[in-house]
Amino acid sequence: MKVLPVGEDALLVEVSSGDEAQALHAELLRRRAEGSLSAREIVPAARTVLLDGLDSPARLAAELTAAQLPPAPPRARAVVEIPVRYDGPDLADVAAHWGVAEREVARLHSRTEFRVAFCGFAPGFGYLTGLPPRYDVPRRATPRTAVPAGSVALAGPYTGVYPRSSPGGWQLIGTTAAVLWDHARVPAALLSPGTRVRFVPVEQVGHS
Amino acid sequence: MTDRALAVVRAGALTTVQDLGRPGHAHLGVPRSGALDRPAADLVNRLAGNPPAAAVLETTLNGCAVRPRSTVTVAVAGAPCRVTVDGRPVAWGAPVRVPAGALLDVGPAVSGLRSYVGVSGGIAVEPVLGSRSTDLLSGLGPPPLTDGTVLPLGRPAGAHARVDVAPQPAPPAELVLRVTLGPRDGWFTPEALRTFVSRPYRVSPASNRIGLRTEGPALERARAGELPSEGMVLGAVQVPPDGRPVVFLADHPTTGGYPVIAVVRAADLAAAAQAVAGTPVRFVAVRRR
């Protein structure tokens, strides 16, 4: 674990894997909840956790460097189920990358239990991990100027669902009617770091 | 609609509602947002008799004009500009009474970029995650003002300040940004680090509430490859592939994948909010306190 100072009152804690970052994030949340850590923001990412708005970053840096963080036990949280139609325009490309039939993409994807590693890009956009590394896919060579809201997409080791229409370069494999972000709802985000997720295939409706 | 409201007559180039922003939600991908020139926003609230968390208007370049439906106290500060009520000049940087139905016109910035308009009672649009700020990156909060918009106002909290004029810093002729290096300064060559803190840059016209973009010598990386996405702080100086530093402002994304060479001290960001395109920029390395 490496602790890098960020400006005057933040620290970036770097670990060696995404799993470690998720465990560290859970541990830091636990410490904040019990009152032994004061931080305005705790932001997990691919291999790091950012702590922002710290009272004494130098002291915490020394403490974290010396400490062995216990691997956090997975929290017993309910699995969020996201209904999905595997009808994305990049389904054939993804099938080709994986070396399987299109139908098999849907089967492999929907039988995987995902976990939200971190959020970013847009409110409610989660970076979901869970697929084995052999199913990593590159981003599209040319990003789309508008990806429709509800698109279920893949890039690198991640799966994500676009909360609203935006430009994007991920490979689109399906669509969902689930509402990823609604600020009138509590909580506003359907997915937050640590959430377990399953994609549930729904039958094609109508004659598309 | 009650008479506690403001009708927008001229929205200007970009006028948004801003308050202290919505910190604490970065882990959900929600930017902090909030007034870019925080001292100016604080000042207009104080002058108008509002608590610091009241929402104000933030204009860009050419001001705005509004018509209150009830008599209010307003104050304009930030970028200096001509302020009129029904065409008559009134004080800038001081409390001004605007009668119901009169036209308050906040003129183009004489210098600087963003003027702030505080109104007694504050702008009372519906908060999102505890803030009324417009967030241009993620689209949270009220959309930027358009002509004809009617904005609700809150109840005045207290008496306005008794001052003739409040002193404020002038917009910068040269923007000096004190930075502490890191967390990813190791991704750059020693030559690039020297260049960054010794050569002049200029504010790029592509700057906005998300970031202050710069023009100047490109910073060369010592290592190639992609940096996995990581959390970003306000004032982070990120270096995209073109090598020109970008200083992240209030509407910055919460995570990013390009290396952050340094972080600007929070106290220097208000000046960054007032720096017009072409303003010389110097990054000055300072030790952490």
Side-chain angles (χ1 to χ4, degrees):
Chain A
M1 193 162 67
K2 195 164 142 196
V3 183
L4 302 163
V6 179
E8 299 275 308
D9 63 353
L11 295 174
L12 188 67
V13 188
E14 190 175 35
V15 291
S16 50
S17 73
D19 287 347
E20 266 187 71
Q22 292 184 38
L24 172 65
H25 176 239
E27 169 65 10
L28 292 169
L29 286 183
R30 191 190 64 74
R31 290 190 183 193
R32 182 165 70 175
E34 74 173 19
S36 65
L37 169 69
S38 159
R40 185 178 58 236
E41 309 270 11
I42 302 179
V43 188
R47 301 258 186 287
T48 56
V49 179
L50 175 77
L51 294 156
D52 194 8
L54 297 167
D55 295 332
S56 44
R59 197 170 62 206
L60 181 64
E63 191 190 314
L64 287 174
T65 308
Q68 275 294 336
L69 285 173
R75 278 173 297 169
R77 285 170 70 163
V79 177
V80 170
E81 295 195 335
I82 297 179
V84 58
R85 271 203 307 271
Y86 287 95
D87 59 359
D90 301 326
L91 198 58
D93 286 352
V94 170
H97 277 295
W98 288 7
V100 300
E102 286 184 29
R103 183 182 290 272
E104 190 65 2
V105 172
R107 201 184 66 81
L108 289 166
H109 193 256
S110 61
R111 74 162 192 207
T112 303
E113 181 174 307
F114 291 89
R115 191 178 163 98
V116 180
F118 61 99
C119 297
F121 172 65
F125 186 90
Y127 291 76
L128 279 57
T129 53
L131 283 171
R134 65 178 177 280
Y135 297 125
D136 284 13
V137 294
R139 284 176 166 71
R140 281 171 52 82
T142 310
R144 290 186 169 84
T145 52
V147 173
S151 294
V152 177
L154 305 181
Y158 302 113
T159 284
V161 184
Y162 284 77
R164 62 195 171 100
S165 173
S166 60
W170 289 36
Q171 310 269 5
L172 311 185
I173 61 166
T175 44
T176 180
V179 177
L180 276 292
W181 178 267
D182 176 2
H183 60 252
R185 179 177 70 188
V186 180
L190 181 65
L191 309 179
S192 59
T195 303
R196 296 156 63 202
V197 179
R198 263 184 187 284
F199 291 91
V200 180
V202 294
E203 292 307 311
Q204 299 283 102
V205 181
H207 41 254
S208 59
Chain B
M1 170 128 353
T2 72
D3 60 353
R4 298 275 324 151
L6 280 184
V8 177
V9 176
R10 180 176 66 83
L14 173 67
T15 302
T16 60
V17 176
Q18 296 296 337
D19 58 16
L20 304 178
R22 40 185 79 85
H25 304 283
H27 63 288
L28 299 176
V30 176
R32 170 201 303 236
S33 201
L36 284 196
D37 185 342
R38 179 77 182 273
D42 286 349
L43 176 64
V44 296
N45 269 331
R46 216 155 53 235
L47 292 174
N50 291 336
V56 303
L57 298 179
E58 177 182 283
T59 72
T60 313
L61 271 171
N62 68 347
C64 70
V66 293
R67 203 185 288 281
R69 289 181 175 173
S70 61
T71 299
V72 291
T73 300
V74 303
V76 181
C81 60
R82 181 182 148 93
V83 184
T84 61
V85 173
D86 279 343
R88 281 178 294 107
V90 296
W92 173 87
V96 171
R97 186 174 170 275
V98 180
L103 183 71
L104 169 73
D105 193 280
V106 177
V110 175
S111 61
L113 202 52
R114 296 179 168 96
S115 300
Y116 290 82
V117 187
V119 185
S120 52
I123 310 296
V125 295
E126 200 56 40
V128 174
L129 298 180
S131 166
R132 299 182 162 97
S133 287
T134 301
D135 169 355
L136 294 179
L137 181 71
S138 56
L140 300 185
L145 267 49
T146 52
D147 295 354
T149 305
V150 176
L151 297 168
L153 295 175
R155 298 236 154 261
H160 65 78
R162 293 182 182 217
V163 294
D164 294 326
V165 71
Q168 297 169 62
E174 181 193 38
L175 184 60
V176 178
L177 299 175
R178 290 168 297 171
V179 297
T180 49
L181 290 180
R184 298 296 179 191
D185 47 324
W187 278 59
F188 297 89
T189 62
E191 179 59 28
L193 291 175
R194 269 195 302 279
T195 298
F196 174 56
V197 294
S198 63
R199 299 270 301 277
Y201 285 83
R202 282 180 316 279
V203 174
S204 154
S207 301
N208 54 26
R209 282 186 46 88
I210 296 164
L212 179 97
R213 292 173 183 277
T214 64
E215 293 168 344
L219 301 178
E220 198 194 344
R221 277 205 203 167
R223 47 190 292 189
E226 277 187 47
L227 178 72
S229 196
E230 60 191 26
M232 295 283 142
V233 298
L234 183 66
V237 185
Q238 199 189 55
V239 182
D242 72 3
R244 269 76 186 193
V246 178
V247 180
F248 274 152
L249 301 179
D251 288 359
H252 74 83
T254 66
T255 58
Y258 298 130
V260 169
I261 192 170
V263 177
V264 176
R265 282 207 175 157
D268 294 352
L269 291 174
Q274 296 297 356
V276 297
T279 302
V281 184
R282 268 193 305 131
F283 294 99
V284 177
V286 293
R287 285 174 183 280
R288 266 181 199 86
R289 285 174 289 209

